[in-house]
């Protein structure tokens, strides 16, 4: 098995995240939500879907539903009607109904602040749990998706063979003062600048610090 490249040195990490922070001091998730439950649902729906697509599907839904009990009252058929434009919507609807029932029965209708408890809910994986922990409970949890995996490896901010290794590399190598917002900055950078097929290196604020050899003009 090939050895992973070494992550960027501490000084470069500080310089990179200082620039990302200067450009966007208070980054937030692009998934629209009004409370913890709505965010949990939105992230669960976002698997194999875009944030924009989820937002289009949930705007009207979240006008009606803001609690697990209201989701149960809406029913699976009602939920399915709202989210039918999202990939895998039938299975996602089943999972949302199941997790809503568990939240009502076991958590008094509240979203738990424990990663283990969140990951025990149907359709909630580590990435979804980390988004909720970070955005709602302000824990420095790193929700690694395809954008962060690409940026982490391409820039050597957080190299890893899989999302778990990249998550650990962020935790181990990104300076503590940037941990809370690190995954927001990295996902936005990957979504709008360091794109998969043709990174926009000419407008990249960390171009001179990035070791990626195949930079575009």
């Amino acid at each position: 098995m090939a050895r992973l490249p070494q992550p960027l040195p501490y000084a470069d990490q500080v310089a990179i995240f200082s620039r990302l922070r200067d450009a966007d001091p208070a980054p937030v998730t692009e998934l629209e939500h009004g409370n913890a439950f709505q965010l949990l649902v939105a992230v669960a729906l976002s698997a194999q879907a875009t944030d924009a697509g989820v937002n289009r599907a949930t705007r009207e839904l979240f006008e009606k539903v803001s609690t697990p009990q209201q989701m149960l009252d809406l029913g699976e058929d009602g939920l399915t009607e709202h989210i039918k434009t999202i990939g895998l919507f039938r299975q996602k609807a089943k999972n949302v109904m199941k997790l809503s029932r568990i939240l009502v029965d076991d958590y008094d209708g509240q979203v738990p602040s424990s990663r283990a408890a969140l990951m025990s809910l149907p359709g909630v994986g580590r990435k979804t749990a980390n988004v909720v922990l970070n955005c709602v409970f302000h824990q420095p949890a790193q929700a690694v998706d395809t954008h962060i995996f690409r940026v982490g490896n391409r820039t050597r901010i957080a190299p890893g063979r899989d999302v778990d290794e990249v998550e650990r590399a962020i935790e181990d190598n990104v300076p503590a003062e940037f941990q809370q917002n690190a995954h927001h900055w990295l996902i936005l950078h990957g979504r709008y600048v360091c794109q998969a097929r043709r990174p926009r290196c000419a407008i990249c604020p960390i171009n001179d610090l990035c070791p990626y050899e195949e930079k575009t003009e």
Side-chain angles (χ1 to χ4, degrees):
M1 183 180 296
R3 294 184 63 182
L4 286 171
Q6 289 296 307
L8 291 179
Y10 181 84
D12 287 352
Q13 300 269 6
V14 171
I16 284 172
F17 281 97
S18 294
R19 293 182 192 180
L20 296 177
R21 180 175 61 188
D22 289 344
D24 189 359
V28 295
T29 178
E30 294 188 321
L31 286 170
E32 297 171 4
H33 64 284
N35 61 24
F37 175 67
Q38 289 182 341
L39 179 61
L40 175 63
V41 171
V43 183
L45 294 176
S46 70
Q48 301 183 44
T50 65
D51 286 2
V54 172
N55 289 338
R56 285 193 295 271
T58 58
R59 282 184 190 126
E60 186 177 335
L61 171 67
F62 288 165
E63 288 179 1
K64 301 175 181 178
V65 173
S66 61
T67 69
Q69 185 58 60
Q70 289 175 343
M71 187 66 77
L72 294 175
D73 294 341
L74 178 66
E76 186 175 326
D77 289 343
L79 174 59
T80 299
E81 187 62 26
H82 281 285
I83 67 170
K84 61 186 179 182
T85 57
I86 299 175
L88 306 175
F89 68 94
R90 294 191 188 281
Q91 184 58 51
K92 290 176 180 178
K94 293 181 185 298
N95 287 336
V96 169
M97 300 310 296
K98 290 177 181 177
L99 72 82
S100 297
R101 171 53 63 194
I102 293 171
L103 292 178
V104 168
D105 290 348
D106 298 345
Y107 296 98
D108 197 27
Q110 302 300 307
V111 175
S113 60
S114 154
R115 180 182 286 113
L118 287 166
M119 290 180 64
S120 72
L121 299 172
V124 177
R126 187 176 181 89
K127 184 185 80 171
T128 298
N130 282 351
V131 171
V132 174
L133 292 174
N134 183 285
C135 297
V136 176
F137 299 107
H138 309 295
Q139 298 181 23
Q142 309 302 330
V144 178
D145 69 350
T146 55
H147 295 299
I148 296 176
F149 181 81
R150 177 177 68 255
V151 173
N153 279 286
R154 187 180 275 173
T155 63
R156 283 181 32 216
I157 289 171
R161 299 179 186 86
D162 54 39
V163 294
D164 291 336
E165 286 191 350
V166 170
E167 181 182 337
R168 288 193 295 272
I170 294 173
E171 294 172 345
D172 290 345
N173 297 292
V174 174
E177 65 180 296
F178 304 110
Q179 284 280 330
Q180 180 62 45
N181 290 321
H183 97 270
H184 291 296
W185 286 316
L186 293 175
I187 192 172
L188 293 170
H189 189 67
R191 187 172 288 165
Y192 298 111
V193 179
C194 195
Q195 297 170 333
R197 294 185 180 179
R198 187 172 176 80
R200 303 173 69 191
C201 299
I203 66 166
C204 176
I206 61 172
N207 186 313
D208 59 314
L209 296 168
C210 172
Y212 182 57
E213 295 180 356
E214 300 174 37
K215 288 190 172 74
T216 58
E217 295 296 329

